[in-house]
Amino acid sequence: MTTENAQAAENTVDIQAQTSALIEKVHSMDMNTLLNDYVIPYGTKILLAIAIYVIGKSIARLLSRLLGKAVLHSSKDEMLQSFVSSISYFLFLLMVIIASLSQLGINTSSLVALIGAAGLAIGLALQNSLQNFAGGVMILIFKPFRKDDVIESSGIVGKVEKIGILFLELRTGDNKTILIPNGKVFGDSITNYSSNATRRIDFIFDIAYKSNIEQAKAIVADILAQDPRVLKDPEPTIAVGALAANSVQLVVRPWVNTADYWAVHFDVTEKVKLAFDQAGIEIPFPQMDIHLPENAELKVGQK
């Protein structure tokens, strides 16, 4: 028998001896000792840990809702309420889990250190997600828009549905839901079409050079005056904007309430076209005048 085999056999004998001693110790215990020293203390800790988790989870949910309602009451911002409720519930639940583990006798200080190290590692791996989280916080702090506002960001126009921890949810005019990362939204320009009560509509109507400019301006002014949605103050602007290559451009700029913007835009465009046709005012298309010398011969079809 080699030295290694002898050592292995000796270790096996020691393990068997220790196991036998433990079994004899358990057998020597009476039921009262087993209950008082092991079952009751550890069973009580486990039950208390479960109770702490179940009750604490309910309390965490209740506190997060109350905190969200308090934020909504103070800021009147539903997006901020949703954001704060989600984050606070996660933090409260983490505290409940740590308290439950402490009841079981687990050293939570080392657990907190482990969570911190894991958080650092996850943060390095999810830098873009942290950037989106920070962007969401900045949006909620500076409030460039609110829920139901119509905004344009990253080339997308839509109504704000909600702001999540990582993404902004927009609903477009054709009822599509688009998620934009918060970091991209805050880092890009934001156009808010709903922040002001009134907006200006910018029209450009082209008329032919031979058409009567004053007549065209009078027709447009009459159409705007008859539309009750067009504001009287400030007054609409009707002026010649440019002498283009093929037309005279009339610049028309009425002011309307923000909610009436597109309705007035479509209605006025149609009414101007119909009125110009009735008055014989030509809306030209791109054209080119070619002047030939008097003695020039026009030959067509010759190679």
Side-chain angles (χ1 to χ4, degrees):
M1 182 181 292
T2 62
T3 306
E4 290 80 3
N5 292 335
Q7 183 66 35
E10 184 178 351
N11 292 337
T12 302
V13 172
D14 291 340
I15 293 174
Q16 292 177 350
Q18 293 176 4
T19 303
S20 300
L22 180 60
I23 293 173
E24 291 178 1
K25 183 178 180 180
V26 172
H27 288 166
S28 63
M29 291 182 183
D30 56 9
M31 186 58 67
N32 292 331
T33 303
L34 186 63
L35 289 175
N36 294 331
D37 293 346
Y38 294 97
V39 176
I40 294 177
Y42 288 105
T44 302
K45 288 183 179 180
I46 293 174
L47 291 176
L48 287 176
I50 295 174
I52 290 174
Y53 176 77
V54 174
I55 298 174
K57 185 177 180 180
S58 300
I59 295 176
R61 184 179 291 107
L62 177 61
L63 290 177
S64 63
R65 290 178 179 175
L66 292 176
L67 186 59
K69 290 181 179 180
V71 171
L72 179 63
H73 180 73
S74 60
S75 64
K76 307 298 182 182
D77 193 337
E78 294 183 4
M79 294 190 305
L80 182 60
Q81 176 198 17
S82 176
F83 190 85
V84 171
S85 296
S86 300
I87 294 299
S88 60
Y89 177 71
F90 173 78
L91 295 177
F92 288 146
L93 186 60
L94 182 60
M95 295 171 60
V96 169
I97 293 175
I98 293 176
S100 299
L101 294 177
S102 299
Q103 181 61 39
L104 292 176
I106 298 176
N107 187 0
T108 55
S109 59
S110 59
L111 179 63
V112 172
L114 180 62
I115 292 175
L120 179 61
I122 294 173
L124 293 175
L126 302 176
Q127 293 183 13
N128 291 335
S129 297
L130 291 179
Q131 182 180 1
N132 294 332
F133 175 80
V137 173
M138 299 302 291
I139 290 173
L140 293 173
I141 291 176
F142 292 101
K143 295 182 176 63
F145 51 81
R146 296 179 179 273
K147 189 177 185 299
D148 294 331
D149 281 357
V150 177
I151 69 169
E152 179 178 358
S153 179
S154 302
I156 300 173
V157 179
K159 179 185 290 187
V160 177
E161 292 293 321
K162 68 177 181 179
I163 180 170
I165 297 177
L166 301 178
F167 296 96
L168 172 68
E169 181 178 324
L170 293 182
R171 187 172 299 277
T172 61
D174 55 352
N175 204 32
K176 293 186 295 187
T177 299
I178 298 180
L179 301 179
I180 307 177
N182 290 334
K184 188 175 182 180
V185 174
F186 189 74
D188 200 356
S189 61
I190 301 173
T191 303
N192 191 334
Y193 296 106
S194 304
S195 58
N196 297 319
T198 59
R199 286 183 62 187
R200 190 185 71 188
I201 306 177
D202 292 344
F203 294 103
I204 295 180
F205 298 115
D206 294 290
I207 63 174
Y209 273 95
K210 62 182 180 180
S211 299
N212 189 319
I213 295 177
E214 296 300 326
Q215 182 185 10
K217 291 170 65 176
I219 291 174
V220 174
D222 183 61
I223 292 174
L224 297 180
Q226 293 180 8
D227 195 325
R229 297 167 298 182
V230 176
L231 302 179
K232 307 303 180 183
D233 185 21
E235 294 183 357
T237 298
I238 305 174
V240 176
L243 302 178
N246 302 304
S247 64
V248 177
Q249 293 184 347
L250 292 183
V251 175
V252 180
R253 295 176 176 175
W255 286 83
V256 297
N257 292 322
T258 300
D260 297 330
Y261 181 90
W262 286 111
V264 175
H265 184 282
F266 296 142
D267 289 347
V268 169
T269 301
E270 179 179 353
K271 291 177 180 179
V272 167
K273 172 62 170 66
L274 296 176
F276 279 3
D277 290 345
Q278 187 176 2
I281 296 176
E282 180 182 350
I283 300 178
F285 50 86
Q287 55 187 319
M288 180 181 295
D289 293 334
I290 300 176
H291 300 276
L292 298 176
E294 293 181 358
N295 58 354
E297 296 182 1
L298 182 62
K299 298 179 179 180
V300 181
Q302 296 184 357
K303 297 184 178 179

